[in-house]
Amino acid sequence: MKKNNIENQILVIFGSNGDLAKRKLLPAVFQLYVDNLLPERFVVLGAGSQEKDALAYRNDVRESLSTFAKRSLNENAAKLDDFLEKVYYKKVHNQTEEDFGQLKEYIDGLSERLEIKQNIVYYFSIPPFLYEVVAAHLVKFGLNLEDNGWKRIIVEKPFGYSYDTAIDLDKKLHTGFHEDQIYRIDHYLGKETVQNIMVTRFSNGFFEPIWNRKYIDRVEITASEKIGVGSRGGYYDTSGAMRDMIQNHLLQVLAVVAMEPPAVFDSDSIRNETVKVLQALRPIKGNEVKDFVVRGQYVSGQVGEEVQKGYRQETGVAPNSKTETFVALKMFIDNWRWGEVPFYVRTGKQLPERVTEVVIHLKPAPHQLFKQLCLTEPNNMIILRIHPDAGVAIDFGMKIPGAGFKVQNVNMAFHYSDLADKKIAEAYERLILDCMIGDSTLYARADAVKASWKFVDPILQAWQNNSEIPLYFYEAGTWGPNESNALFADKYVKWRQPFENFKTE
Ligand code: BG6
């Protein structure tokens, strides 16, 4: 990552005592500091509802970093103390308007004392219902005004709960902030390997000519997780896999896989292309939902030595919950490049592996000369592995050495880990730094969020309104309901079983 044109600034974290701040945000900012990417004058200002002073908060931050920092703190002991000196705290109750008046005074004081211009990033690491409340309070006290430095807000997902609520939230944020000030974070876009999809496609001459309906049979996108909902049952039960993973992360990945090449590589051009993909998604209407979308929920199952509890037994989850912890869907992009190429997308919790990958299945050779001699079905695939074992692999048929013409599928793989001298930045490091610099390329634009809700909304409504659409149960530790294989037109085709490293079957 580069340190280019980063101005002195203040990062205010609302929800500074919360889980996200502890696990992701503070470790990311600390790593940026260790890597010398932050400006000379810089402050992290924790804003939270607990009463404490800066010293107590610094201790909390030290503790969070000792558990969640990317590398051992011993490696960076000297830097840690310097970093903590830049950390401050102000008690702010997000729903109490007056607290924001006091926050303003505190920021004015800090900025004067430390001689830092009021360039401010406000990070909303708070429950979604508070986004508009906090934004309104900032506006009330002029904390959005840019006469004494720029102001930016980072808004976490979920951005809205439905199409209408997303539009409404957007309108409310725009009453005090213009689009250039609003950074809608989707940490998948910050993943090095997601960005690499663009580089793989657009910097090589040999992928792009085949990246279309003429050569591609189907595309599979999988984001499977081994964990259940853990301590997030309360949030998850009102969200479900469709809102939690598909509406944002996986539709963004799909957009990057399917976008047209932009003429230049800048924020507007890239986002202009990705939004076109989302706008071209063929809607899945109410009566089609059962044929194109499969939802599932995990029940208790044996995973290794342990018996994992079922979703309905998780803390914070309603005992008769119908929330989906697995979704698989078949979708189409109605445009010139992708006409009638199915995109299969699935995600789920309590599955056997933690894997995120995109698999491009190419059409078979037009005439199978070696059909009788193939030991495995000929299967040409390009696998873009996002996690773990990040990299790119190509599968193709090879002659088995020896007499005759026996053919076997082989796998040629590039593993990111082979670039041993390169440290891969965590998604939050990259995205926070981008916002500090003012680069919104890897943030979701309003029209993209709107387009993805427009696609997802009718499915959610059908689930809610039509009790005949089944919710399939699957045992923890399995690949979700078998019914998800029925999405493939050909009964012999099934979802690829991703392995921890990306070897194929
Ligand atoms: C989050 C979801 O946005 O992404 C979680 O809320 C999910 O439920 C997580 O576990 C997955 O992210 P990653 O980076 O671990 O694939």
Side-chain angles (χ1 to χ4, degrees), residues 48-91:
S49 58
Q50 295 170 15
E51 185 77 74
K52 65 178 96 166
D53 60 15
L55 281 182
Y57 187 58
R58 285 175 189 176
N59 276 335
D60 294 348
V61 173
R62 183 190 293 274
E63 205 171 297
S64 306
L65 293 178
S66 68
T67 319
F68 300 113
K70 190 157 138 189
R71 283 188 275 281
S72 151
L73 285 187
N74 297 336
E75 273 181 51
N76 299 305
K79 287 242 169 186
L80 176 63
D81 289 331
D82 293 348
F83 174 74
L84 290 176
E85 275 179 27
K86 296 177 181 295
V87 173
Y88 292 80
Y89 185 82
K90 177 80 184 102
K91 177 183 172 253

Side-chain angles (χ1 to χ4, degrees), residues 157 187-188 191 225 227 232 235-236 244-245 249 349 354 356:
K157 66 162 264 271
H187 79 275
Y188 264 58
K191 288 180 190 264
E225 295 186 274
I227 50 166
R232 298 166 74 225
Y235 148 75
Y236 197 88
D244 189 52
M245 290 292 291
H249 305 325
K349 298 226 184 256
R354 181 181 174 218
T356 308

